[in-house]
């Protein structure tokens, strides 16, 4: 795909000076910039892992943030803001959060799977998604140590490490697949997750929404279900439709991009199966399409 000049594209967008520049070109300019920044951030993390991590607790002793979470967030926000100063951010480690439904907004989880980063130095992801007035533009899920970068979705084609990527969703079968999800949801059979797991080949718990969503979108998991914040689900939400997947909000509500919501990422052709299980499931059950 042709590379655009970020700065000239940016000046057109900011000044609204070129009616001729299509929305797609504006999105493409941001995509090229963001892809370079995501890769740069990944290289930075790999290099820094040789040094001791600085770890702090947030709400409790298992809710961690490290110097690398903050540094990655900084690399991405500074790099984007230099070129697109009017864009705003909904990012996990920021105090003030943008409204995803208003303007050009980036939803960012700098390190998803911070506890894995601390305990394993692997199985974590960088996630970034771009929205224009709430419309999906494109997204990235980057398994840094596994070196898998899934990009695009929204208005752009999906690629994996720069190569065209086609979803395997249509080939996925319940009884030949593995299920990943929140361990409390599995224990309580919330939204029928344990019922779904019983129909499957078994359960996996990876400790990172990003790594789990990536495996679903690669056809390696049947579903991933959890109570998630916007920065946990935004990138997968943007990538899902082009690859034959759908997001289900398990209480039948719209995604608010604010606070935690129970979500399932499921193959589109199995949507009715999931809706039936979710409706019939544990105490919180009720579901609808979003
Ligand atoms: C967490 C991970 C975890 C999920 C939590 C998330 P973080 O993200 O994705 O797997 O169960 O709900 O908060 O805090 O490591 O970015
Ligand atoms: Ca995080
Ligand atoms: Ca997260």
């Amino acid at each position: 795909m042709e590379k655009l000049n970020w700065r000239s594209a940016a000046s057109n967008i900011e000044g609204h000076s070129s009616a001729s520049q299509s929305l797609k070109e504006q999105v493409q300019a941001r995509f090229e910039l963001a892809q370079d920044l995501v890769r740069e951030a990944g290289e930075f993390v790999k290099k820094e892992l040789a040094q001791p991590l600085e770890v702090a607790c947030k709400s409790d002793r298992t809710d961690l943030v490290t110097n690398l979470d903050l540094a990655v967030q900084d690399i991405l926000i500074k790099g984007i803001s230099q070129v697109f100063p009017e864009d705003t951010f909904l990012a996990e480690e920021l105090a003030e959060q943008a409204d995803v439904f208003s303007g050009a907004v980036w939803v960012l989880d700098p390190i998803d799977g911070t506890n894995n980063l601390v305990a394993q130095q692997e199985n974590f992801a960088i996630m970034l998604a771009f929205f224009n007035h709430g419309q999906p533009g494109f997204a990235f899920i980057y398994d840094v140590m596994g070196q898998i970068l899934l990009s695009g979705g929204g208005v752009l084609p999906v690629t994996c490490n720069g190569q065209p990527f086609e979803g395997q969703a249509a080939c996925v079968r319940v009884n030949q697949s593995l299920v990943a999800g929140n361990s409390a949801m599995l224990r309580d059979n919330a939204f029928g997750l344990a019922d779904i797991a019983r129909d499957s080949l078994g359960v996996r718990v990876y400790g990172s929404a990003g790594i789990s969503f990536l495996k679903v979108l690669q056809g390696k998991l049947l579903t991933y279900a959890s109570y998630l914040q916007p920065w946990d689900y935004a990138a997968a939400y943007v990538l899902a439709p082009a690859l034959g997947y759908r997001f289900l909000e398990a209480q039948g509500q719209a995604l608010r991009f604010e606070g935690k919501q129970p979500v399932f990422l499921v193959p589109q052709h199995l949507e009715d199966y999931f809706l039936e299980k979710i409706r019939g499931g544990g105490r919180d059950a009720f579901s609808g399409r979003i």
Side-chain angles (χ1 to χ4, degrees):
M1 212 169 288
E2 191 195 351
K3 283 212 173 193
L4 289 177
N5 177 323
W6 304 333
R7 289 189 191 278
S8 67
S11 61
N12 284 338
I13 294 161
E14 285 140 25
H16 304 286
S17 56
S18 170
S20 62
Q21 191 183 37
S22 71
L23 183 64
K24 190 154 184 186
E25 282 176 316
Q26 296 175 27
V27 169
Q28 184 71 33
R30 282 175 167 84
F31 175 82
E32 303 286 353
L33 170 63
Q35 183 157 258
D36 287 351
L37 289 169
V38 166
R39 285 194 183 281
E40 184 192 319
E43 287 312 305
F44 173 83
V45 169
K46 279 189 222 165
K47 189 162 65 70
E48 289 297 310
L49 276 177
Q51 309 296 325
L53 282 171
E54 292 163 31
V55 185
C57 296
K58 296 195 283 183
S59 58
D60 63 54
R61 70 166 199 90
T62 64
D63 183 14
L64 303 179
V65 60
T66 74
N67 57 313
L68 296 187
D69 297 64
L70 301 177
V72 167
Q73 181 168 285
D74 221 44
I75 290 170
L76 296 176
I77 294 183
K78 279 196 179 135
I80 292 166
S81 298
Q82 265 174 18
V83 183
F84 298 105
E86 316 246 300
D87 289 11
T88 57
F89 297 88
L90 174 50
E92 182 174 13
E93 313 302 345
L94 272 186
E96 241 175 73
Q97 304 296 4
D99 171 8
V100 80
F101 300 104
S102 170
V105 181
W106 300 80
V107 184
L108 163 60
D109 193 339
I111 299 286
D112 178 74
T114 298
N115 293 10
N116 288 352
L117 173 85
V118 171
Q120 305 179 320
Q121 291 81 55
E122 61 180 356
N123 296 316
F124 58 88
I126 296 173
M127 294 198 283
L128 179 63
F130 176 71
F131 293 82
N132 189 32
H133 294 290
Q135 294 303 309
F138 56 82
F140 304 91
I141 302 178
Y142 188 20
D143 173 354
V144 175
M145 305 312 280
Q147 301 190 61
I148 302 170
L149 175 58
L150 198 62
S151 314
V155 297
L156 297 178
V158 178
T159 61
C160 186
N161 294 343
Q163 300 301 313
F165 185 79
E166 293 201 2
Q168 305 297 314
C171 306
V172 172
R173 301 284 171 268
V174 175
N175 63 359
Q176 293 165 23
S177 304
L178 296 160
V179 164
N182 176 295
S183 44
M185 273 170 76
L186 282 158
R187 181 196 62 207
D188 299 343
N189 193 25
F191 311 111
L193 188 58
D195 296 334
I196 294 164
R198 261 189 292 276
D199 288 349
S200 78
L201 278 185
V203 171
R204 299 291 182 269
V205 177
Y206 293 102
S208 158
I211 296 293
S212 309
F213 282 137
L214 185 58
K215 288 185 191 296
V216 176
L217 296 172
Q218 289 176 302
K220 295 180 177 187
L221 286 173
L222 170 67
T223 189
Y224 172 65
S226 192
Y227 297 100
L228 295 177
Q229 295 278 3
W231 44 81
D232 297 314
Y233 63 71
Y237 171 77
V238 171
L239 284 155
L243 297 174
Y245 287 86
R246 272 190 67 86
F247 256 82
L248 303 177
E249 206 280 358
Q251 289 171 316
Q253 298 175 6
L255 285 179
R256 292 187 302 272
F257 287 86
E258 197 187 344
K260 280 195 174 181
Q261 290 185 264
V263 296
F264 282 65
L265 177 60
V266 306
Q268 215 164 349
H269 75 285
L270 295 172
E271 185 175 345
D272 288 342
Y273 162 82
F274 277 94
L275 288 174
E276 197 188 314
K277 292 286 176 183
I278 290 169
R279 285 192 187 110
R283 57 196 160 84
D284 298 322
F286 172 72
S287 170
R289 294 162 211 261
I290 55 169

